[in-house]
């Protein structure tokens, strides 16, 4: 963590502009590149620090995801990491010292300190919740280290794949806190094995790609980093070929069904499709199938 103060945005070298199929956006710590038509790769771009998050990086990340969420030329997203690691967590040198200073500041009474901490945590949580709220499917492509905040990030994604060298850890108990950015709130819904999730959260032990795959944290393992990127792009491109009405409706419904009863989620999809079935996508798909052709769809 970095600070409990309400910091003003200090994103540098990040120009807010409409994304297009030809644009490549770059900022200090986050880069966004179109890999294929409708497929964008959001890359953690702080390799010298193993892509550890700072407050500015979180804000840049959310800005990139929110931008792609609204861009009709984006239909699927990959999250990857530049350099030797996917994400080694939070930049402790830039973070914990600041929060300790705030905690030890006797000029601020304890109730207001607590409220400041809550606001600060909430702002960071929102940066990864943006992944869930984004209507476009998001694939986490994990290589090497995925620690702490890295697991917060990937558990908010729709699909997680990794290279064979990937290693994971929920590290927060080793630095004196309960993980508060999303891991403990999402991982049991992702994995569904209460005993295993408690073991890795309470021990902070490392585990590799094979174990992550065995328990369902990731859905496939690739031989190396290059294969990981190729598989991620192919998977994202396959999704991007589908009807965006159908794909985005599927993500919305899966997220809703995860958190609600079957009856509620059946009512949700019934209400959703009372309008979405009226789109041209259904007819385009049917005609393409009858004519043994590949359907094309309008942007959403």
């Amino acid at each position: 963590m970095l600070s409990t103060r309400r910091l003003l945005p200090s994103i540098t070298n990040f120009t807010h502009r409409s994304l297009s199929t030809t644009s490549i956006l770059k900022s200090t710590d986050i880069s966004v590149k179109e890999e294929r038509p409708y497929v964008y790769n959001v890359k953690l771009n702080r390799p010298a620090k193993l892509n550890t998050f700072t407050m500015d990086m979180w804000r840049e990340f959310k800005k990139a995801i929110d931008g792609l969420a609204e861009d009709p030329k984006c239909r699927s997203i990959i999250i990857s990491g530049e350099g030797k690691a996917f994400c080694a967590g939070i930049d402790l040198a830039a973070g914990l010292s600041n929060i300790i200073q705030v905690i030890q500041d006797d000029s601020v009474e304890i109730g207001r300190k607590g409220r400041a901490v809550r606001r600060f945590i909430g702002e960071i949580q929102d940066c990864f919740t943006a992944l869930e709220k984004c209507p476009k499917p998001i694939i986490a492509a994990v290589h090497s280290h995925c620690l702490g905040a890295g697991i917060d990030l990937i558990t908010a994604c729709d699909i997680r794949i990794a290279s064979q060298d990937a290693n994971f850890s929920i590290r927060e108990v080793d630095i004196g806190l309960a993980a508060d950015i999303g891991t403990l709130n999402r991982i049991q819904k992702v994995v569904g094995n209460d005993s295993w999730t408690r073991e890795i959260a309470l021990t902070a032990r490392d585990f590799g790609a094979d174990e992550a795959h065995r328990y369902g944290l990731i859905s496939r393992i690739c031989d190396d980093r290059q294969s990981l990127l190729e598989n991620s792009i192919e998977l994202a491109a396959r999704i991007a070929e589908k009807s965006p009405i159908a794909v985005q409706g599927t993500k919305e419904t899966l997220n809703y069904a995860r958190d609600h009863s079957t009856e509620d989620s059946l009512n949700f999809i019934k209400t959703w499709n009372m309008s979405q079935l009226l789109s041209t996508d259904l007819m385009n798909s049917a005609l393409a199938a009858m004519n043994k052709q590949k359907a094309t769809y309008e942007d959403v």
Side-chain angles (χ1 to χ4, degrees):
M1 292 186 171
L2 302 174
S3 169
T4 56
R5 291 174 295 178
R6 296 295 292 171
L7 302 175
L8 293 174
S10 57
I11 299 170
T12 58
N13 300 326
F14 189 91
T15 303
H16 180 70
R17 48 181 165 160
S18 175
L19 301 181
S20 70
T21 55
T22 57
S23 67
I24 298 176
L25 305 186
K26 291 188 177 180
S27 68
T28 307
D29 297 328
I30 302 294
S31 67
V32 181
K33 177 184 177 183
E34 185 186 29
E35 298 285 359
R36 297 270 186 90
Y38 299 108
V39 175
Y40 285 83
N41 186 352
V42 177
K43 186 173 290 188
L44 310 182
N45 191 35
R46 202 167 177 253
K49 296 293 185 179
L50 301 180
N51 296 321
T52 51
F53 273 86
T54 65
M55 195 66 230
D56 282 351
M57 186 172 172
W58 262 306
R59 287 174 174 143
E60 290 180 34
F61 182 80
K62 185 176 187 299
K63 196 169 188 176
I65 298 300
D66 287 347
L68 290 171
E70 297 299 324
D71 184 1
K73 295 299 182 183
C74 172
R75 295 186 183 178
S76 59
I77 300 169
I78 300 163
I79 309 292
S80 63
E82 183 63 66
K84 296 180 179 179
F86 173 75
C87 175
I90 298 173
D91 187 332
L92 298 181
L96 287 185
S97 60
N98 285 353
I99 195 169
I100 289 172
Q101 288 175 10
V102 171
I103 291 171
Q104 293 178 339
D105 185 353
D106 293 334
S107 67
V108 180
E109 64 91 24
I110 192 167
R112 286 167 176 78
K113 285 183 185 180
R115 294 171 74 90
V117 170
R118 189 178 192 279
R119 287 194 299 268
F120 174 71
I121 294 172
E123 183 177 1
I124 298 175
Q125 287 177 344
D126 289 346
C127 296
F128 287 158
T129 298
L131 296 165
E132 281 186 332
K133 290 183 175 180
C134 175
K136 319 310 174 52
I138 300 175
I139 301 166
V142 181
H143 76 283
S144 187
H145 300 301
C146 180
L147 314 176
I151 297 194
D152 291 317
L153 189 163
I154 68 170
T155 51
C157 294
D158 299 290
I159 299 170
R160 293 158 295 279
I161 66 177
S163 56
Q164 187 66 62
D165 70 342
N167 61 87
F168 305 82
S169 179
I170 302 171
R171 288 286 177 86
E172 280 79 359
V173 295
D174 274 351
I175 57 173
L177 56 90
D180 56 8
I181 308 175
T183 290
L184 300 182
N185 315 91
R186 295 187 173 101
I187 193 167
Q188 288 173 309
K189 295 176 180 179
V190 169
V191 172
N193 186 311
D194 182 74
S195 178
W196 183 73
T197 55
R198 288 173 188 264
E199 176 189 335
I200 60 173
L202 293 169
T203 63
R205 71 171 177 83
D206 294 338
F207 57 97
D210 290 332
E211 185 174 357
H213 185 257
R214 185 163 66 250
Y215 285 99
L217 181 60
I218 59 176
S219 57
R220 70 171 77 169
I221 301 174
C222 304
D223 291 337
D224 51 36
R225 187 178 172 189
Q226 182 60 36
S227 175
L228 174 67
L229 179 60
E230 291 170 357
N231 273 264
S232 301
I233 293 173
E234 288 300 325
L235 179 57
R238 183 173 182 178
I239 293 170
E241 291 176 349
K242 311 298 183 185
S243 156
I245 290 283
V247 167
Q248 294 176 34
T250 296
K251 174 170 178 173
E252 292 274 3
T253 304
L254 286 171
N255 285 349
Y256 188 92
R258 179 194 60 201
D259 300 326
H260 295 80
S261 70
T262 301
E263 182 179 1
D264 286 344
S265 62
L266 284 170
N267 187 61
F268 175 88
I269 187 59
K270 178 171 58 178
T271 304
W272 180 277
N273 270 353
M274 66 185 276
S275 65
Q276 298 303 282
L277 286 179
L278 304 179
S279 79
T280 58
D281 291 25
L282 181 63
M283 186 61 68
N284 287 346
S285 296
L287 289 174
M290 287 188 292
N291 294 317
K292 297 182 179 179
Q293 297 175 341
K294 188 174 182 179
T296 58
Y297 305 99
E298 295 180 25
D299 297 337
V300 174

